[in-house]
Amino acid sequence: MLRKIVPLLLCFLMLVACNNSAVTLLPFIDEGDSRADYFGEVIETFQSDDGSILVYPDNNSPQSDALWKRIHDVEEKLGVVIELSNDGDYDFEEYFITTTASGSCDTDLIFRYGGNSLWFIAEAGVLHPITNFPDYIDLSDTEKYGTPGILEASMHNGIPYAVQPMYWPGLQGIECFFIAYNSDDFAANGLTDLHEYYENKTWTWDTFKNVLDTAATTISREGDLIFEAHGGYLMNTLFMSNGFDYVTFVDGFPTFDLTPKEALDSIDYLRELSLFGDKINIDADRWTCTAFVNGNALTTLATAQAVTTGTVAYDSDFAYKIMPFPCGPNVEYGKWMQSVTRIYGFAIPLGAGDPDCVAHVINELCEPMEEFGGSKEGLKQYYRDNIFSSDLDVEIFFSVENNVRYDYDDAGLINEYTAIIAENINKASASELIEKNSNIVKNIYTKYIEPNLMGYIIEHMNIE
């Protein structure tokens, strides 16, 4: 029997703890067995002190308990030892880039969330393309890894370098944005419940502005907001919801164009919203939705995570519901086009001792969890029973992921383009704002967007 040592270190931005151990795999193949067995020993340890397990806090919650069980089940099924560690004291990107270049990287598996590092490491050329492992990882399995639009967040030059366990709870279309609204306040003030607009297919920008117009004259408590949002992400969400994503397709090929009507109308609409003055705040934190959670904002632009496992879900003491961001006038109604800022997922560094073994482990880890329904449909029921107040909330939540596209936040697109437009929305016309900042996006388009579109995205998303 052949034994081969392969260290496995799972690293991620939020420090991860696992019995004060490093992640290690010692693969072993028994030729008399029909499957590969991998046996492990610990060879290195990084101490962690934040008490997380991959994407979940290790706090005896249903999520963390299910993930520990998943890890132990995979260990037993494949004969591996999976022990988790944190980043240590080193710079994450620099560590993997420099150690891989020097041939001293002994890490086998990376799990990264809350930051952009997977994308930067892929750009540096120190990750295995996930497409190298079709026997283990089927990228067409949207029940496990999500749509091509989500995979785009892990791509460099059209090649995906990481996968996200799509139907672990809380990771659906992660960092997409929804309109969350205080349904208690809507009812108390005699306002039409927003779900009615979804059901009668009239949920458009005009409808949303009319809602805000009515609320501005109805909500009388001093200091209360009718809407809060992060300006840069609101601007980008307006772009996407009106059919603009920095590209115009001509005869099936992407062309750089920042000035189509879809973009100009989006900027003008944000200017209209800004006229509500101190009734709205478009300089809010994108994660916390503070005014909304505290009961001082009627509506908010909230991430998918916020409404399922974050502040809106757990810190609100009132009934809330969600809506997709409304459709703009230049897009097909009901597609609910949206952006996703990054992928939360697994990647395999070039230093991995047995990449096929690691891909096998990823495949098993990423299965939907039985404790949360064991499938996309099962997870929908879990959300209905435990997160949302109605079947319609669940339908809305899962409808958005089908049309998400990566917004190149990792490349600075949000901070260096949409946020600047939002900050200066009343200082220049739409065309002037675009012209002044176009070089930022042109560089991003040439280096990142076009190569991805010409590769995986066009082939798999049927873009014409």
Side-chain angles (χ1 to χ4, degrees), residues 43-100:
I43 63 167
E44 186 175 10
T45 300
F46 287 112
Q47 177 65 39
S48 174
D49 59 8
D50 87 327
S52 295
I53 171 175
L54 301 183
V55 73
Y56 303 122
D58 189 12
N59 56 1
N60 297 317
S61 67
Q63 291 92 342
S64 65
D65 289 348
L67 185 48
W68 274 123
K69 182 178 184 300
R70 169 58 53 79
I71 289 171
H72 296 322
D73 287 348
V74 173
E75 287 180 319
E76 182 176 351
K77 179 176 181 178
L78 299 186
V80 299
V81 173
I82 301 175
E83 299 176 353
L84 313 181
S85 79
N86 71 321
D87 293 347
D89 295 325
Y90 51 77
D91 178 86
F92 184 83
E93 294 90 350
E94 182 180 352
Y95 171 79
F96 283 104
I97 293 170
T98 57
T99 57
T100 301

Side-chain angles (χ1 to χ4, degrees), residues 310-323:
T311 57
V312 173
Y314 291 125
D315 297 338
S316 303
D317 61 1
F318 51 82
Y320 73 90
K321 297 179 181 178
I322 64 169
M323 289 285 281

Side-chain angles (χ1 to χ4, degrees), residues 155-337:
M155 291 180 194
H156 184 60
N157 289 332
I159 300 171
Y161 285 89
V163 288
Q164 176 172 297
M166 184 65 181
Y167 292 109
W168 287 4
L171 295 189
Q172 294 66 57
I174 196 70
E175 296 187 28
C176 293
F177 290 91
F178 295 83
I179 297 291
Y181 65 102
N182 186 325
S183 52
D184 283 349
D185 269 359
F186 265 74
N189 287 279
L191 299 171
T192 301
D193 192 290
L194 298 188
H195 277 183
E196 291 190 23
Y197 301 116
Y198 184 88
E199 292 178 310
N200 62 27
K201 296 180 172 56
T202 57
W203 185 232
T204 64
W205 285 3
D206 285 343
T207 301
F208 183 49
K209 187 172 179 296
N210 288 337
V211 168
L212 296 182
D213 278 330
T214 303
T217 60
T218 302
I219 305 298
S220 58
R221 290 180 308 208
E222 184 176 354
D224 277 6
L225 303 172
I226 56 175
F227 181 53
E228 67 166 346
H230 178 285
Y233 287 94
L234 174 59
M235 186 69 261
N236 197 63
T237 302
L238 286 166
F239 280 154
M240 293 284 184
S241 67
N242 199 34
F244 171 73
D245 60 359
Y246 310 98
V247 176
T248 297
F249 282 87
V250 178
D251 296 328
F253 292 92
T255 301
F256 179 67
D257 184 3
L258 294 179
T259 59
K261 182 174 174 54
E262 292 88 343
L264 297 171
D265 287 350
S266 299
I267 295 172
D268 288 338
Y269 185 78
L270 181 59
R271 184 176 292 108
E272 290 181 30
L273 294 183
S274 74
L275 297 179
F276 284 105
D278 60 5
K279 286 288 187 178
I280 74 167
N281 176 19
I282 57 172
D283 190 29
D285 182 86
R286 67 175 173 139
W287 290 108
T288 57
C289 305
T290 302
F292 181 76
V293 169
N294 291 340
N296 301 124
L298 187 67
T299 63
T300 188
L301 186 70
T303 66
Q305 189 177 45
V307 299
T308 55
T309 61
T311 57
V312 173
Y314 291 125
D315 297 338
S316 303
D317 61 1
F318 51 82
Y320 73 90
K321 297 179 181 178
I322 64 169
M323 289 285 281
F325 197 86
C327 288
N330 306 119
V331 74
E332 178 183 344
Y333 183 84
K335 270 198 167 184
W336 316 121
M337 293 295 295

